[in-house]
Structures are given as structure tokens and as C-alpha cells.
Amino acid sequence: MLTEQGERILEICRGHWAANVLFAATDLGLFDVLAGTDSYPAGLSGEEGALAASLQKGDTEAGARRGEVDGRSRPAPAGDMHGTRERAILEDKGAKNSLLRNLGNRHIYGTGVGTSLWGDGLHAGCHASPRCPDTCPVPPGLTAGEAAAALGTDPASTARLLDALAGLGLVVKRGARYANSPAAAHFLVRGKESYLGHAVHHFANLAEGWSRLGEAVRTGRAVGFAAVEREPYEQRLRDYILAMRDNASLKAGALAGIIEAGGCRNMLDLGGGPGSFTIALLKQNRELKATIFDLAPTLEITRELVAAAGLTGRVTLRPGDFTRDGLGEGAYDLVLASNVVHIYDDRTNRGLVSRVYNALRPGGRLVVHDYVLAEVPAPEAALFDLNMLVGTVCGRVYAVAEMSAWLRDAGFEDIDYLSLTAGSGLVTGRKVAR
Ligand SMILES: C[S@@+](CC[C@H](N)C(=O)[O-])C[C@H]1O[C@@H](n2cnc3c(N)ncnc32)[C@H](O)[C@@H]1O
């Protein structure tokens, strides 16, 4: 038992190494390079995916031949191959039929062609299966040397990184070749709606500050700014807001359902950032319009993301500083403050909640969505609290009782708490209806 606990202590230490493996692979673009030779455009049916895989084999070889012009064998650029494959899929019905016959004879998944196994992440899923035969027609990714050539990295070190990624389950190794695992294919390939790479990059940006946590605890002061401030402001801001988008993408739809905005006409999203929760709420509530309030430079990025969601006509972007600017009088049915109170101290949050009370119409609701510090906190909440210690002047994670007191003292009634997953929750209150 004690030995197990000792192992657990060492495992926590290795977690730090594992995170760095992921940071390095993501920043180098390793998952993108593997995807470029090993996946097919999202949205293809299973049969098309299988055909794409087969045709891609030829394309990859052609790409490698093209790369030999300068004496090095490189995979062809992903976009080039995707275009070639898409055209080929449309044109080559004969190849499709023969491929499907081929698969029918040789593949033994038991699920057949065209089922979910052949959906997004086909190749990684296929090669990960112990029943994937050696004769599998799906291209098996890249060798470490090919990946290194595509990335411009040292081949031997790239092989070591790939083996570590295989150990972590982020790539799948078959013989000397590596492919993205289903999780990596889904979340770590740039350009996908489900991409989490900005969040990974954001964690990497914070790592140097975290390495000085002891100093922050000793002095009670933030230590993380120097590391973060090395990037130009615009780049840093974009990284941060897109990281928030990545985080929110995992839960925005579910949260919008829990908030229940049916019957609401106007909502205010305080510090809405990427606008992910507004977008999800508007998609689920056709009558709803939203104002996203945030700092002016952030709203430039919000504008792009709202436009990409096709919701420009239902969203007003309002620049300002919510720690001091007025938020309006009786204008909103619903105010969402998601992941903003942890940035500020108790006094600032009390002032903010009071101004939200004025901004709501009678009977309107405030929803505070944030990490929550329980007496024995969830690890996610406690770690995030330290992230605020390392990286902000006065931010921290609050207890439900503290947040409820802000609402009660501002005049809210029906104050309630709903615990969510991963150490977060919703504190809600209603403005007295006249
Ligand atoms: C952690 S992000 C949360 C984004 C989004 N609400 C979510 O939950 O994903 C905090 C957001 O609050 C904004 N923000 C921070 N302080 C602010 C202030 N004083 N006035 C307006 N916006 C602010 C930031 O620009 C950022 O978009």
C-alpha cells in the first residue's frame, strides 16, 4: 500500500514531463504532420474515408517523390493531398468498388465498412485495433525520419518524442511507423472545430510561472508575468482567447442547456471572451439576443468567432471595463459571468454583482459560472486557484458561501448552487420581481 503511494508521488512528478511532451509535440506541429499524411478531410462518409485512405497511399508516394527534388523525401503538403483525394473520390467509382471488395475480404473489425469505426479518426482507430491486419490498406502514418524531415527536427530525437507520445496514448506505433491516436486526430490537429491546441499552448505559456510556485507561496505575489509577456501583446491575447474557446468547446452546449434561457430575450455575457457560451445559448434559444461585454482588443477576436458562427445579427459587442463601467439599467433577462470572478478580489466582485443587479430587469437572473472551492476542493479547482496565485495580482477561486454572500448583499433572492464537473459550478440568483 505504502509502495503504491510512493509510486503515485513519482507519477505526479512524471505528469510534469508528460505535459512537456504534449506541449513540445503540439508546438512543433507533430500531430498536424501526422494528420497530413494519415487522415482524410472531416465529413467524409466511412466508405469515402476508406477510399481516401487507399488513394492517399498513392498520393503520399507521389508527394515523397516530389520532395526528393532537393534530395530529401518529404510528405506532400496536407492541403495538396486533401484536394487530390477529394477529386479522386468523386471521380474514381471503380477504384471505390474494388477497394470495398478488398476491405470486405481482408478487414476483420466485425463492424463492417461504413460504421462509426470508419468515421473521423479512421486511421488511428484502425491501427489501434489489435485486430488491424498487417495487410491493412490504410496508410500507416510516418516513420520518425519522415516526420523529422517534415518538421525540420533531429530524426533521432523525434523518434524519442514519438515513442513517448505512443506511451502516453497520443500516437499509435505500428512497426516503425506512427499515426495519430483517435484523441490526437480529434483534438490536436490544427484547423479542426474540436482543436484544443490553443489551450495546450496556453498551458505551456504558464509553465515557467508555475515553476516558481514556491516563490509565489513565499511572497504571496504573482510570479508568472515575465514568462507570458515575452510574446507580443496581440499574439498573447489571441492565444489566451482561443485557449478559452478550446476550453469552453468541451462544455458550452451542455452548459447552455443547464442554464435554461427559454423565455429570455436579452442576455449580457460579462467578459464573454470568445463568446462560446453566448453562441451556444443563441443556438439553443432562437428568440434570444446577446450583448457581449469585454475589453475592446478582445472584442476584435470575439467579432470573428461570432461571425464564423453566423450570429453577427443577434450579438452586440460592447467594449468596456466591467470593474468600473456601468452595465445598463433594467435591460437584461439574464446575465452570465463565466470564469471572470476568479480574476478579481472580493471587493471588486461585490461591486460587479451590484452593478449586474441594476442591469437586470425585475425577475431577471444572474448566473455565475466558475471554479468553486469546497472545504476539500476538487483538484481542478485547487490547482486553478494556484494558477491565479502564480499569474494574477489578486485573483482566486471562491467558495459557494462567499459568492452567495455577494448576491445576497446586492439584493438577489432565490440564490442557488449547482455543482458541475471538474471542480466548477453555478451560483445563481434572481432580481426581486416587482
Ligand atoms: C477567463 S476569460 C473567460 C471567457 C468566457 N467568459 C469563458 O468562460 O470562456 C475572462 C474574460 O474576461 C475578460 N475581462 C477580464 N477583465 C475584464 C474587465 N475588467 N472588463 C471587461 N472584460 C474583462 C477577458 O478579456 C476575458 O475575455
Side-chain angles (χ1 to χ4, degrees):
M1 184 62 186
L2 264 181
T3 308
E4 259 173 41
Q5 289 177 10
E7 290 292 349
R8 170 78 188 119
I9 288 169
L10 298 183
E11 195 185 312
I12 291 172
C13 299
R14 276 192 296 271
H16 162 70
W17 289 355
N20 279 291
V21 167
L22 175 59
F23 298 160
T26 307
D27 274 2
L28 287 167
L30 185 48
F31 302 110
D32 304 321
V33 162
L34 293 182
T37 59
D38 192 39
S39 69
Y40 53 88
L44 293 186
S45 71
E47 291 182 9
E48 288 166 335
L51 177 62
S54 163
L55 295 172
Q56 183 185 15
K57 213 172 189 174
D59 286 340
T60 306
E61 282 154 15
R65 277 198 301 279
R66 277 199 295 280
E68 278 163 14
V69 172
D70 62 0
R72 292 197 313 171
S73 174
R74 279 200 298 268
D80 180 19
M81 288 197 295
H82 287 177
T84 309
R85 277 181 291 145
E86 276 166 334
R87 274 195 304 283
I89 288 159
L90 290 176
E91 288 163 7
D92 195 342
K93 286 261 190 253
K96 182 171 182 173
N97 289 337
S98 96
L99 173 78
L100 293 179
R101 269 198 306 279
N102 202 12
L103 287 170
N105 290 340
R106 290 198 284 170
H107 262 268
I108 46 170
Y109 296 110
T111 48
V113 174
T115 67
S116 62
L117 186 64
W118 292 92
D120 205 5
L122 157 72
H123 311 98
C126 165
H127 293 311
S129 163
R131 290 183 291 165
C132 177
D134 290 339
T135 50
C136 174
V138 177
L142 298 179
T143 64
E146 285 167 343
L151 293 170
T153 52
D154 175 63
S157 308
T158 305
R160 291 158 79 174
L161 179 64
L162 280 161
D163 278 342
L165 287 164
L168 294 172
L170 289 169
V171 304
V172 177
K173 185 175 185 185
R174 268 175 74 81
R177 305 185 80 83
Y178 300 85
N180 283 328
S181 73
H186 189 70
F187 290 118
L188 295 171
V189 175
R190 192 175 291 275
K192 288 203 167 184
E193 185 60 24
S194 48
Y195 185 57
L196 292 180
H198 307 104
V200 172
H201 183 71
H202 181 61
F203 272 99
N205 277 344
L206 300 175
E208 194 178 321
W210 268 85
S211 72
R212 295 168 60 199
L213 174 62
E215 185 185 332
V217 171
R218 238 187 336 268
T219 62
R221 280 197 295 276
V223 291
F225 292 121
V228 174
E229 282 175 0
R230 271 200 289 274
E231 272 188 4
Y233 174 73
E234 282 76 22
Q235 186 57 49
R236 225 182 327 135
L237 179 65
R238 183 165 281 274
D239 281 349
Y240 170 62
I241 296 301
L242 293 180
M244 297 305 113
R245 190 213 72 95
D246 289 3
N247 289 339
S249 70
L250 295 175
K251 53 187 164 191
L255 191 74
I258 291 168
I259 289 175
E260 285 182 12
C264 295
R265 294 297 162 107
N266 288 305
M267 67 163 284
L268 173 66
D269 188 353
L270 273 179
S276 311
F277 294 114
T278 285
I279 290 168
L281 280 159
L282 294 191
K283 284 187 174 166
Q284 289 182 25
N285 299 279
R286 301 256 156 238
E287 303 298 310
L288 187 61
K289 291 194 168 156
T291 298
I292 301 181
F293 188 106
D294 210 301
L295 303 169
T298 300
L299 289 181
E300 293 310 310
I301 304 164
T302 316
R303 191 187 313 281
E304 291 170 28
L305 296 169
V306 168
L311 290 167
T312 302
R314 291 166 65 196
V315 176
T316 303
L317 301 178
R318 195 165 149 208
D321 178 344
F322 61 58
T323 64
R324 50 168 202 246
D325 294 340
L327 303 172
E329 296 284 329
Y332 303 104
D333 309 296
L334 173 69
V335 175
L336 174 65
S338 172
N339 295 315
V340 293
V341 297
H342 64 237
I343 307 170
Y344 293 103
D345 62 16
D346 184 89
R347 219 179 101 220
T348 306
N349 286 327
R350 280 180 174 276
L352 175 62
V353 169
S354 269
R355 271 168 301 112
V356 167
Y357 192 86
N358 291 336
L360 282 167
R361 66 158 182 76
R365 265 186 308 150
L366 166 62
V367 176
V368 179
H369 169 232
D370 219 299
Y371 286 101
V372 169
L373 218 49
E375 198 169 71
V376 180
E380 294 91 339
L383 289 172
F384 194 82
D385 183 54
L386 288 176
N387 192 41
M388 294 296 96
L389 171 65
V390 165
T392 66
V393 176
C394 58
R396 70 179 179 89
V397 173
Y398 292 92
V400 175
E402 291 174 291
M403 293 189 269
S404 302
W406 304 336
L407 271 68
R408 195 177 51 247
D409 295 349
F412 282 95
E413 58 183 20
D414 295 340
I415 297 163
D416 208 351
Y417 172 63
L418 179 69
S419 173
L420 302 174
T421 53
S424 64
L426 299 181
V427 176
T428 57
R430 190 174 292 283
K431 181 170 178 172
V432 176
R434 287 204 200 94

